[in-house]
Amino acid sequence: MSAAPLHGLLLCGGASRRMRRDKAQLHYSGEPQLLRAWRLLTAFTERAFVSVRDSQHDEPLRASLPQLIDTYDAVGPVAGILSAHDAFPEAAWLVIACDLPLLDETTLRTLIAARDPAKEATAFASRFDGLPEPLCTLWEPPIHQRLKQRHEAGSYCPRKVLIQADIRLLPPPGNTLDNINTPQEFEQMQRQLEVLS
């Protein structure tokens, strides 16, 4: 089976309520996380976009990059994934969240090397519960119908879609998919990165 072209989607449309400020603009090692994640994503995909809500369209950091504006009501990450599939239905999507400061090239290279285009998605298992991690996942075109059906039924959890789908599930890649949601986690991560640098 020939593989669909691989596009990239950087999810940065969240409200960052727990962080109380825009997670995409948080600086790690002197650089906004959005730009660091963007460089990673574009190194592995033919074409890439940042996923934004309409109200974020003109925010300077996001406005400097190619955008896909959510065309679904505020239903979390699935709004961005559905909007991307609608815009380019022939493409597979490497989707990553913008709040993964430890995500690295090795993790993305491992995911892409393990890609099985005959499956609906290729994903890593969470190191915490073994369930699929939806926000660093390769979503193939056939899964769009399943996402849409779940959305229409009022279910907006991308992880539940992956649990029900025919996917290739990879072992957890260490701590590289740990996300940062609160000011305390942000401070801890900054200290951790200082030690590593």
Side-chain angles (χ1 to χ4, degrees):
M1 179 177 186
S2 62
L6 184 59
H7 291 187
L9 188 69
L10 177 55
L11 297 171
C12 62
S16 302
R17 288 186 185 91
R18 285 180 286 170
M19 183 63 72
R20 300 194 296 274
R21 59 182 179 159
D22 186 1
K23 289 190 284 187
Q25 297 194 44
L26 294 177
H27 280 239
Y28 296 96
S29 304
E31 179 180 36
Q33 174 60 16
L34 176 65
L35 297 182
R36 180 187 172 281
W38 176 256
R39 276 203 326 277
L40 271 174
L41 187 63
T42 56
F44 291 96
T45 55
E46 296 179 23
R47 191 171 185 183
F49 301 88
V50 294
S51 171
V52 300
R53 298 189 318 274
D54 188 53
S55 62
Q56 298 171 314
H57 175 66
D58 295 324
E59 186 275 314
L61 192 58
R62 291 169 173 82
S64 67
L65 301 171
Q67 299 178 355
L68 278 177
I69 298 173
D70 289 354
T71 55
Y72 291 77
D73 290 335
V75 292
V78 77
I81 300 169
L82 279 169
S83 300
H85 276 289
D86 283 351
F88 297 93
E90 77 290 349
W93 288 92
L94 174 57
V95 176
I96 64 172
C98 75
D99 60 353
L100 306 173
L102 296 177
L103 183 63
D104 58 13
E105 289 187 5
T106 300
T107 301
L108 293 184
R109 192 174 291 114
T110 299
L111 180 66
I112 292 168
R115 177 185 182 187
D116 183 350
K119 299 287 189 181
E120 292 179 84
T122 304
F124 290 108
S126 165
R127 73 185 182 108
F128 299 106
D129 58 18
L131 296 174
E133 285 284 4
L135 303 186
C136 181
T137 288
L138 208 159
W139 302 76
E140 299 290 348
I143 204 167
H144 183 54
Q145 191 58 37
R146 188 185 296 274
L147 279 163
K148 208 151 195 169
Q149 287 170 350
R150 296 276 306 177
H151 173 264
E152 289 167 357
S155 177
Y156 309 133
C157 177
R159 173 174 273 182
K160 288 181 180 174
V161 172
L162 292 174
I163 290 169
Q164 294 178 347
D166 178 23
I167 71 169
R168 180 165 189 192
L169 189 62
L170 309 177
N175 66 350
T176 61
L177 300 186
D178 288 2
N179 65 345
I180 303 302
N181 290 307
T182 67
Q184 294 76 23
E185 291 172 352
F186 174 53
E187 290 173 10
Q188 290 169 1
M189 181 57 67
Q190 285 187 311
R191 287 195 293 271
Q192 181 179 340
L193 290 173
E194 284 173 9
V195 170
L196 293 174
S197 63

